[in-house]
Amino acid sequence: MLAELWDTLAETAQTLPPDWDRSYIATRRLILAELTTTAWSIAGRAWYGPSAMVAARA
């Protein structure tokens, strides 16, 4: 079973384009940026939580 997995991995690696690593890293950076933006947005909402909304209505 492990030999079959090894063969499959080797075959797949041979079909990758020469610059596959740059594309992979660029994709990961985009995902990281998206996660950072989302976390920052959520943190901002928590900062202006329910108590701030109640104060704004008064």
Side-chain angles (χ1 to χ4, degrees):
M1 171 114 173
L2 289 177
E4 291 176 20
L5 290 173
W6 180 263
D7 290 342
T8 301
L9 179 60
E11 289 174 19
T12 302
Q14 290 175 357
T15 62
L16 291 171
D19 64 341
W20 73 269
D21 55 339
R22 290 183 182 165
S23 299
Y24 177 81
I25 291 170
T27 301
R28 296 297 165 239
R29 286 182 179 158
L30 286 174
I31 291 171
L32 178 60
E34 184 177 324
L35 289 173
T36 302
T37 303
T38 301
W40 185 79
S41 175
I42 291 170
R45 289 184 202 152
W47 182 260
Y48 299 106
S51 60
M53 294 173 133
V54 170
R57 290 184 200 158

